[in-house]
Amino acid sequence: MSVAERVLNNADLEKMVDTSDEWIVSRTGISERRISESDQGASYFGQRAACQALERAGVRAADVDAVIVTSVTGDQIFPSTSCLIQSAIGASNSAAFDVGAACAGFIYGLEVATSMIKCGTFDNALVVGVDVLTKFVDWTDRSTCILFGDGGGAVYMEASDDERGVLASVLKADGGGARHIHMKAGGTLNPASRPLQEGVTPYLFMAGQEVYRFAVKAMEDSCKSVLAKAGMSIDNVDLFVPHQANLRIITAASDRLGLSRDKVFVNVHKYGNMSAGSIPVGLCEAEAEGRLKVGDLVMTVGFGAGLVWGANLIRW
Ligand code: ACO
């Protein structure tokens, strides 16, 4: 995993906008977040996380079959962030492509890699989840600037006869909800070369309450579906690693699922919402803390701009 070094805490934000530590902590659970520097894009964090994952797996970059990057904050419109990372880490014999599913990106990426390995397209894959959403934050908008942080993580997966890996996934989308979270500037309808059209800003927009309501239900539904698909129950889950957007959302969804708090991984208080980066960073930290061991059943769930959502059930 690799997160931005610079820490922006709630006291810092109190000096920037009309907010308070008390409001931010009680509404979101976030105490501080990590902010990237101007010369650090998604590939900066992604390549560091990718190198770590390969080192831990004891695999040479040249032996990687696919570099799959899940991100909505690529360094540039094209080429893909996966190509930039592939080159930076020396994965010279791999395919490379991006999967864009916002905060559910890593959920989608893990299933894409699993399916392509299962059907024989690749023998192995490196899946990187990374986002640097603070680049698109309006630092005068108190309703969004408190929420986000920058960083990501990576996992290495390979074909194997044992029962480890992604057992089942649920991937969902509702493009009708695109209006709830978006970033319009810089795309082909509003290219960087032209003055922005009326109503378009160079910042991310989020309708917080709508997203909140959607998120709790989406998390509950996709977790129940993925468990049913695998023929398992919530009691089989050893660790729940949800997308880290807001502690209230995580708590509400965990309670609805009947999960005890000791099975729920949380790090949103120190990183904020790292979008596609939050679940892989959570998996890396959970393993480093000894909360995730070989053979454990881990359930991940994510939701975000699209709207998109989904869950994976993984035998670690
Ligand atoms: N400090 C103090 N007051 C604030 C702040 C702030 N930082 N932000 C908003 N307020 C005020 C509002 O102006 C409003 O004041 P008013 O009642 O006088 O109008 C009041 O607080 C309540 O605002 P709400 O928006 O109703 O606050 P809410 O409890 O819904 O919390 C939040 C807002 C934290 C954004 C919440 O809605 C949320 O977490 N939503 C989900 C976000 C999310 O999960 N996004 C993930 C996807 S992101 C992606 O995919 C890129």
Side-chain angles (χ1 to χ4, degrees):
M1 57 171 269
S2 173
V3 298
E5 274 186 26
R6 186 150 54 96
V7 175
L8 186 75
N9 63 29
N10 292 348
D12 298 323
L13 279 165
E14 284 175 355
K15 295 177 201 136
M16 297 162 62
V17 288
D18 181 15
T19 191
S20 66
D21 176 57
E22 194 278 326
W23 193 96
I24 301 173
V25 172
S26 63
R27 299 290 178 119
T28 71
I30 302 170
S31 296
E32 55 187 48
R33 65 288 291 142
R34 302 301 186 90
I35 311 295
S36 54
E37 306 302 331
S38 57
D39 60 348
Q40 297 171 334
S43 72
Y44 176 90
F45 302 102
Q47 66 183 262
R48 279 162 178 73
C51 286
Q52 272 175 28
L54 290 182
E55 203 182 309
R56 296 200 51 193
V59 172
R60 293 180 329 139
D63 294 331
V64 171
D65 277 1
V67 177
I68 302 173
V69 174
T70 66
S71 181
V72 286
T73 51
D75 290 18
Q76 48 202 35
I77 298 275
F78 60 83
S80 64
T81 306
S82 50
C83 281
L84 303 180
I85 292 177
Q86 182 228 20
S87 167
I89 67 174
S92 47
N93 299 306
S94 76
F97 58 92
D98 287 1
V99 173
C103 302
F106 199 71
I107 304 286
Y108 272 65
L110 277 190
E111 180 52 37
V112 169
T114 299
S115 297
M116 294 186 86
I117 291 172
K118 271 189 187 161
C119 75
T121 308
F122 303 125
D123 285 335
N124 65 55
L126 193 56
V127 183
V128 182
V130 59
D131 268 312
V132 282
L133 272 170
T134 70
K135 306 282 184 187
F136 301 138
V137 158
D138 176 356
W139 291 106
T140 67
D141 174 9
R142 66 180 183 171
S143 67
T144 52
C145 75
I146 58 165
L147 298 173
F148 299 98
D150 300 331
V155 296
Y156 170 80
M157 304 165 73
E158 63 183 16
S160 141
D161 288 331
D162 61 29
E163 293 290 301
R164 292 171 62 195
V166 177
L167 306 181
S169 297
V170 166
L171 307 178
K172 296 280 185 184
D174 172 13
R179 65 188 182 284
H180 295 316
I181 321 174
H182 52 73
M183 165 63 202
K184 292 185 173 174
T188 48
L189 286 182
N190 295 277
S193 59
R194 281 200 238 135
L196 294 173
Q197 289 173 38
E198 206 179 316
V200 176
T201 72
Y203 305 119
L204 72 85
F205 167 85
M206 185 173 69
Q209 286 193 358
E210 278 82 353
V211 177
Y212 188 102
R213 277 193 293 274
F214 143 74
V216 175
K217 185 155 184 351
M219 284 171 81
E220 181 189 5
D221 289 352
S222 45
C223 287
K224 285 181 174 167
S225 300
V226 82
L227 284 166
K229 208 169 171 181
M232 296 203 184
S233 84
I234 199 73
D235 297 333
N236 298 123
V237 174
D238 294 301
L239 191 69
F240 181 46
V241 182
H243 170 47
Q244 307 281 315
N246 182 321
L247 184 60
R248 282 161 61 214
I249 295 176
I250 294 172
T251 306
S254 311
D255 288 351
R256 286 186 185 199
L257 289 164
L259 273 164
S260 58
R261 292 287 149 80
D262 59 314
K263 287 190 173 181
V264 181
F265 185 83
V266 174
N267 64 8
V268 68
H269 53 284
K270 55 181 177 172
Y271 297 133
N273 178 352
M274 295 189 290
S275 187
S278 83
I279 290 172
V281 167
L283 292 171
C284 289
E285 284 200 333
E287 191 182 50
E289 291 169 13
R291 293 183 65 185
L292 196 48
K293 294 176 283 303
V294 171
D296 280 354
L297 188 71
V298 54
M299 184 164 67
T300 58
V301 65
F303 59 89
L307 298 167
V308 287
W309 65 101
N312 312 118
L313 207 53
I314 306 163
R315 182 69 68 193
W316 194 252

Tab-separated table of all heavy atoms in Angstrom, residues 256-279:
chain	number	residue	atom	x	y	z
A	256	ARG	N	-26.917	-3.712	10.162
A	256	ARG	CA	-27.999	-4.370	9.414
A	256	ARG	C	-27.629	-5.803	9.043
A	256	ARG	O	-28.483	-6.675	8.937
A	256	ARG	CB	-28.285	-3.597	8.128
A	256	ARG	CG	-29.026	-2.300	8.366
A	256	ARG	CD	-29.385	-1.713	7.034
A	256	ARG	NE	-30.001	-0.409	7.150
A	256	ARG	CZ	-30.718	0.153	6.191
A	256	ARG	NH1	-30.903	-0.478	5.056
A	256	ARG	NH2	-31.246	1.341	6.354
A	257	LEU	N	-26.318	-6.037	8.825
A	257	LEU	CA	-25.865	-7.375	8.454
A	257	LEU	C	-25.694	-8.280	9.672
A	257	LEU	O	-25.493	-9.480	9.537
A	257	LEU	CB	-24.518	-7.278	7.707
A	257	LEU	CG	-24.596	-6.695	6.289
A	257	LEU	CD1	-23.214	-6.290	5.802
A	257	LEU	CD2	-25.217	-7.714	5.327
A	258	GLY	N	-25.734	-7.666	10.852
A	258	GLY	CA	-25.567	-8.454	12.083
A	258	GLY	C	-24.121	-8.813	12.364
A	258	GLY	O	-23.838	-9.847	12.981
A	259	LEU	N	-23.190	-7.979	11.906
A	259	LEU	CA	-21.761	-8.241	12.136
A	259	LEU	C	-21.308	-7.607	13.444
A	259	LEU	O	-21.618	-6.442	13.709
A	259	LEU	CB	-20.935	-7.615	11.003
A	259	LEU	CG	-20.728	-8.459	9.747
A	259	LEU	CD1	-20.260	-7.562	8.613
A	259	LEU	CD2	-19.709	-9.575	9.987
A	260	SER	N	-20.559	-8.364	14.243
A	260	SER	CA	-20.042	-7.759	15.474
A	260	SER	C	-18.884	-6.816	15.116
A	260	SER	O	-18.184	-7.025	14.119
A	260	SER	CB	-19.572	-8.841	16.445
A	260	SER	OG	-18.582	-9.629	15.828
A	261	ARG	N	-18.701	-5.776	15.937
A	261	ARG	CA	-17.723	-4.718	15.634
A	261	ARG	C	-16.302	-5.253	15.444
A	261	ARG	O	-15.525	-4.712	14.654
A	261	ARG	CB	-17.716	-3.668	16.756
A	261	ARG	CG	-18.982	-2.839	16.852
A	261	ARG	CD	-19.073	-1.827	15.701
A	261	ARG	NE	-20.467	-1.585	15.359
A	261	ARG	CZ	-21.298	-0.769	16.034
A	261	ARG	NH1	-20.857	-0.083	17.041
A	261	ARG	NH2	-22.551	-0.632	15.672
A	262	ASP	N	-15.956	-6.324	16.179
A	262	ASP	CA	-14.571	-6.827	16.075
A	262	ASP	C	-14.290	-7.459	14.711
A	262	ASP	O	-13.144	-7.704	14.361
A	262	ASP	CB	-14.289	-7.838	17.215
A	262	ASP	CG	-15.253	-9.017	17.157
A	262	ASP	OD1	-16.466	-8.798	16.999
A	262	ASP	OD2	-14.772	-10.166	17.248
A	263	LYS	N	-15.334	-7.683	13.927
A	263	LYS	CA	-15.122	-8.252	12.591
A	263	LYS	C	-15.106	-7.179	11.499
A	263	LYS	O	-15.032	-7.488	10.311
A	263	LYS	CB	-16.236	-9.261	12.277
A	263	LYS	CG	-16.095	-10.560	13.054
A	263	LYS	CD	-17.076	-11.576	12.523
A	263	LYS	CE	-16.854	-12.932	13.164
A	263	LYS	NZ	-17.783	-13.935	12.631
A	264	VAL	N	-15.242	-5.927	11.886
A	264	VAL	CA	-15.344	-4.849	10.901
A	264	VAL	C	-14.041	-4.040	10.883
A	264	VAL	O	-13.625	-3.496	11.911
A	264	VAL	CB	-16.531	-3.908	11.248
A	264	VAL	CG1	-16.656	-2.796	10.205
A	264	VAL	CG2	-17.824	-4.713	11.351
A	265	PHE	N	-13.390	-3.993	9.730
A	265	PHE	CA	-12.137	-3.235	9.635
A	265	PHE	C	-12.440	-1.769	9.311
A	265	PHE	O	-13.180	-1.468	8.380
A	265	PHE	CB	-11.222	-3.824	8.546
A	265	PHE	CG	-9.895	-3.140	8.515
A	265	PHE	CD1	-8.883	-3.530	9.391
A	265	PHE	CD2	-9.666	-2.060	7.667
A	265	PHE	CE1	-7.670	-2.866	9.410
A	265	PHE	CE2	-8.453	-1.397	7.684
A	265	PHE	CZ	-7.452	-1.801	8.557
A	266	VAL	N	-11.818	-0.878	10.073
A	266	VAL	CA	-12.036	0.567	9.880
A	266	VAL	C	-10.692	1.309	9.901
A	266	VAL	O	-9.883	1.107	10.813
A	266	VAL	CB	-12.938	1.131	11.011
A	266	VAL	CG1	-13.037	2.651	10.901
A	266	VAL	CG2	-14.336	0.513	10.967
A	267	ASN	N	-10.453	2.117	8.883
A	267	ASN	CA	-9.294	3.027	8.934
A	267	ASN	C	-9.639	4.410	8.368
A	267	ASN	O	-8.748	5.229	8.124
A	267	ASN	CB	-8.057	2.442	8.244
A	267	ASN	CG	-8.268	2.230	6.748
A	267	ASN	OD1	-9.275	2.650	6.192
A	267	ASN	ND2	-7.324	1.570	6.103
A	268	VAL	N	-10.970	4.642	8.186
A	268	VAL	CA	-11.394	5.922	7.585
A	268	VAL	C	-10.978	7.113	8.456
A	268	VAL	O	-10.760	8.211	7.947
A	268	VAL	CB	-12.927	5.909	7.329
A	268	VAL	CG1	-13.731	5.918	8.619
A	268	VAL	CG2	-13.348	7.061	6.430
A	269	HIS	N	-10.827	6.884	9.771
A	269	HIS	CA	-10.474	7.998	10.660
A	269	HIS	C	-9.131	8.611	10.314
A	269	HIS	O	-8.915	9.794	10.504
A	269	HIS	CB	-10.469	7.527	12.121
A	269	HIS	CG	-9.620	6.314	12.355
A	269	HIS	ND1	-10.023	5.059	11.984
A	269	HIS	CD2	-8.391	6.179	12.900
A	269	HIS	CE1	-9.065	4.180	12.304
A	269	HIS	NE2	-8.069	4.839	12.858
A	270	LYS	N	-8.207	7.813	9.759
A	270	LYS	CA	-6.871	8.368	9.503
A	270	LYS	C	-6.556	8.636	8.039
A	270	LYS	O	-5.550	9.274	7.744
A	270	LYS	CB	-5.801	7.466	10.116
A	270	LYS	CG	-5.841	6.029	9.680
A	270	LYS	CD	-4.725	5.225	10.375
A	270	LYS	CE	-4.808	3.773	9.983
A	270	LYS	NZ	-3.672	2.988	10.448
A	271	TYR	N	-7.407	8.116	7.115
A	271	TYR	CA	-7.117	8.340	5.694
A	271	TYR	C	-8.213	9.079	4.933
A	271	TYR	O	-7.969	9.537	3.826
A	271	TYR	CB	-6.899	6.995	4.985
A	271	TYR	CG	-5.719	6.212	5.496
A	271	TYR	CD1	-5.833	4.858	5.785
A	271	TYR	CD2	-4.474	6.819	5.688
A	271	TYR	CE1	-4.745	4.129	6.247
A	271	TYR	CE2	-3.381	6.098	6.150
A	271	TYR	CZ	-3.532	4.743	6.438
A	271	TYR	OH	-2.463	4.026	6.900
A	272	GLY	N	-9.435	9.164	5.472
A	272	GLY	CA	-10.537	9.688	4.676
A	272	GLY	C	-10.910	8.689	3.594
A	272	GLY	O	-10.508	7.527	3.624
A	273	ASN	N	-11.694	9.141	2.623
A	273	ASN	CA	-12.174	8.292	1.534
A	273	ASN	C	-11.151	8.279	0.394
A	273	ASN	O	-11.000	9.277	-0.300
A	273	ASN	CB	-13.534	8.839	1.064
A	273	ASN	CG	-14.112	8.059	-0.107
A	273	ASN	OD1	-13.459	7.202	-0.690
A	273	ASN	ND2	-15.356	8.380	-0.458
A	274	MET	N	-10.482	7.142	0.217
A	274	MET	CA	-9.491	7.024	-0.869
A	274	MET	C	-10.086	6.329	-2.093
A	274	MET	O	-9.340	5.799	-2.930
A	274	MET	CB	-8.244	6.288	-0.372
A	274	MET	CG	-7.494	7.070	0.705
A	274	MET	SD	-5.894	6.359	1.134
A	274	MET	CE	-6.411	4.873	1.982
A	275	SER	N	-11.413	6.310	-2.189
A	275	SER	CA	-12.110	5.761	-3.354
A	275	SER	C	-11.626	4.328	-3.645
A	275	SER	O	-11.621	3.504	-2.744
A	275	SER	CB	-11.924	6.722	-4.527
A	275	SER	OG	-12.677	6.359	-5.633
A	276	ALA	N	-11.179	4.059	-4.877
A	276	ALA	CA	-10.766	2.683	-5.205
A	276	ALA	C	-9.565	2.222	-4.389
A	276	ALA	O	-9.257	1.031	-4.342
A	276	ALA	CB	-10.445	2.576	-6.693
A	277	GLY	N	-8.899	3.148	-3.728
A	277	GLY	CA	-7.734	2.770	-2.921
A	277	GLY	C	-8.091	2.251	-1.547
A	277	GLY	O	-7.268	1.609	-0.872
A	278	SER	N	-9.325	2.501	-1.102
A	278	SER	CA	-9.596	2.235	0.319
A	278	SER	C	-9.645	0.746	0.674
A	278	SER	O	-9.127	0.342	1.713
A	278	SER	CB	-10.869	2.957	0.772
A	278	SER	OG	-12.021	2.224	0.438
A	279	ILE	N	-10.220	-0.092	-0.172
A	279	ILE	CA	-10.313	-1.518	0.173
A	279	ILE	C	-8.938	-2.205	0.121
A	279	ILE	O	-8.571	-2.909	1.076
A	279	ILE	CB	-11.372	-2.228	-0.697
A	279	ILE	CG1	-12.770	-1.728	-0.277
A	279	ILE	CG2	-11.284	-3.746	-0.546
A	279	ILE	CD1	-13.902	-2.176	-1.166
